[in-house]
Amino acid sequence: MAIEFQGVTKQYPDGTVAVDNLNLTVEDGTITVFVGPSGCGKTTSLRMINRMIEPTGGTVLLDGKDVRDSDPALLRRGIGYVIQHAGLFPHRTVLDNVATVPLLTGWDKSKARKRAAELLETVGLPAELGKRYPAQLSGGQQQRVGVARALAADSPVLLMDEPFSAVDPIVREELQDELLRLQTQLGKTIVFVTHDIDEAVRLGDKVAVMRVGGKLAQYGTPSDVLRHPVDDFVASFVGKDRGYRGLSFLSADDVEVKDAPKVEVGSTLSGPNSEWLIAVNDAGQPRGWLPPNSTVDGPISEASLVAGGSLYEQGTPIRGALDAALSSPASLGVVVDADHKVLGVVTARQVLDVIEGHPQAVNE
Ligand SMILES: Nc1ncnc2c1ncn2[C@@H]1O[C@H](COP(=O)(O)OP(=O)(O)OP(=O)(O)O)[C@@H](O)[C@H]1O
Ligand SMILES: [Mg+2]
């Protein structure tokens, strides 16, 4: 089932243009990956497919039909959707989580549970995990349950928003392999969102590189994008990144960690802040970001924070530092110590400069 974006724009009521005139076709039965730095409009683009977000301009077509002509609730039920941290219902067992959609579509309980059990097997989970609650599973297992639940919709379309970014790199590769294996059997139309170019080129039949401002920078096969980046932005996002894939052994010790603009949760701002601030708890651990010009009356609460990206633990391989910078809403990667206490911040530019200083390590 092909998905077509025709001149799709999303401007939020506050004026932010999250997606700007997106034109692109996701071919039937393929995996298309939307990749780009934090805030470039990936999630917004994805959610306009199942009408969790409505465009302010243009049209999204599913199988040639305008999605606006479908009832949003029915549309969503018919499209599998997986998010970071799996988004499982904490008070339902694993089996009941997976059975949710079949039950909603009117299946009786025993048939829905039987189907759910089959799906757990499909994603490589032992049947006995079905009785547990999500909190009793590892992060990787939870993500598999999330995939099983999305497959339960039995729809030809699957939307996946950074489904594997909260798990460690080894489990992440396992999950990627598993998805590729499943896809050879299922042949679904999958739209997958990530900020990780490695993941994008590994999984995607096609890769859509987006830039902040919601503009599509390049759309092509992984090899197109890697070999023929259309401009400097794609070259630096993809090209340098491609180089650093061989750099797992290089540590980021040469990257100067700058002082972090910090604020403590529970404290009160003395005036409007001009820059992004990392909000930390009393142990100095990051809880999220406070956007510039936040008008916080009274003590800063966790509810007023924007979720952060991945953290970079000092002394670990340099790709983590780049990941942290690219996934941060403030474009500043948060550097922490082994106790997850904030040490400071780095920018993607700083990391790339260090990588470029080691040309012998770049694997091209
Ligand atoms: N409800 C909203 N109101 C106003 N602006 C919003 C809203 N939701 C998102 N935005 C803005 O739209 C832009 C795109 O956001 P979106 O969530 O689509 O980005 P993303 O690429 O998924 O980022 P990330 O990698 O951090 O998940 C950002 O500037 C974001 O701040
Ligand atoms: Mg997002």
Side-chain angles (χ1 to χ4, degrees):
M1 209 178 252
I3 302 165
E4 260 170 276
F5 289 87
Q6 294 183 340
V8 173
T9 293
K10 174 64 185 186
Q11 182 166 28
Y12 285 105
D14 68 357
T16 307
V17 177
V19 177
D20 191 0
N21 190 26
L22 179 62
N23 289 288
L24 153 168
T25 300
V26 175
E27 306 291 346
D28 179 44
T30 64
I31 302 182
T32 289
V33 181
F34 291 176
V35 65
S38 182
C40 70
K42 304 180 293 292
T43 296
T44 302
S45 301
L46 192 75
R47 291 185 170 184
M48 288 193 287
I49 299 170
N50 66 2
R51 295 189 67 189
M52 289 172 75
I53 294 175
E54 301 286 357
T56 46
T59 306
V60 180
L61 302 172
L62 187 60
D63 202 20
K65 291 194 289 275
D66 189 335
V67 294
R68 270 173 301 208
D69 296 337
S70 303
D71 174 68
L74 284 177
L75 185 74
R76 262 168 247 154
R77 205 175 291 167
I79 296 179
Y81 185 50
V82 191
I83 56 174
Q84 196 177 358
H85 301 298
L88 302 175
F89 305 117
H91 305 299
R92 287 188 202 165
T93 64
V94 163
L95 200 67
D96 286 342
N97 262 281
V98 179
T100 305
V101 169
L103 283 173
L104 276 175
T105 54
W107 289 28
D108 71 50
K109 230 176 175 156
S110 71
K111 190 174 163 207
R113 286 198 168 153
K114 189 159 168 277
R115 175 80 180 124
E118 284 166 15
L119 286 164
L120 286 182
E121 197 186 329
T122 307
V123 298
L125 287 174
E128 55 280 12
L129 288 191
K131 290 189 260 209
R132 294 201 199 162
Y133 288 90
Q136 297 167 317
L137 302 183
S138 72
Q141 288 168 336
Q142 289 182 30
Q143 290 305 144
R144 285 173 195 254
V145 177
V147 173
R149 188 176 61 177
L151 293 177
D154 205 17
S155 72
V157 177
L158 196 55
L159 309 180
M160 309 184 83
D161 193 351
E162 306 216 27
F164 307 150
S165 47
V167 295
D168 67 63
I170 297 186
V171 174
R172 190 169 176 172
E173 282 197 13
E174 280 170 24
L175 291 168
Q176 290 166 352
D177 287 343
E178 195 75 15
L179 180 68
L180 290 171
R181 186 186 61 77
L182 273 176
Q183 174 66 353
T184 60
Q185 292 168 12
L186 303 174
K188 293 193 186 276
T189 305
I190 299 177
V191 186
F192 189 106
V193 165
T194 181
H195 67 265
D196 177 354
I197 188 67
D198 282 347
E199 187 165 68
V201 300
R202 188 144 191 254
L203 294 179
D205 295 299
K206 286 269 191 73
V207 175
V209 184
M210 297 174 74
R211 72 170 89 231
V212 172
K215 285 202 162 43
L216 179 64
Q218 187 166 0
Y219 186 44
T221 62
S223 108
D224 279 346
V225 176
L226 291 174
R227 288 189 201 173
H228 309 291
V230 291
D231 61 15
D232 286 352
F233 167 76
V234 179
S236 71
F237 188 75
V238 171
K240 306 278 172 32
D241 239 8
R242 172 186 36 157
Y244 90 82
R245 282 199 279 165
L247 295 179
S248 313
F249 58 90
L250 195 69
S251 96
D253 291 350
D254 294 344
V255 183
E256 186 197 349
V257 178
K258 301 247 166 73
D259 273 347
K262 266 188 299 194
V263 65
E264 203 168 312
V265 174
S267 68
T268 309
L269 288 179
S270 51
N273 52 321
S274 59
E275 54 181 355
W276 285 88
L277 300 173
I278 305 172
V280 296
N281 62 15
D282 51 11
Q285 297 158 332
R287 304 301 306 158
W289 286 91
L290 195 66
N293 300 313
S294 294
T295 41
V296 183
D297 295 325
I300 295 162
S301 71
E302 299 221 352
S304 56
L305 304 178
V306 173
S310 57
L311 301 174
Y312 171 64
E313 191 179 319
Q314 203 173 43
T316 60
I318 199 166
R319 73 162 284 173
L322 192 55
D323 256 357
L326 290 173
S327 65
S328 161
S331 303
L332 294 170
V334 178
V335 182
V336 296
D337 66 12
D339 298 320
H340 278 197
K341 225 171 119 169
V342 174
L343 296 172
V345 291
V346 295
T347 63
R349 187 69 258 164
Q350 282 180 278
V351 180
L352 292 171
D353 285 346
V354 168
I355 291 171
E356 282 167 1
H358 291 78
Q360 72 283 8
V362 177
N363 65 345
E364 256 295 290

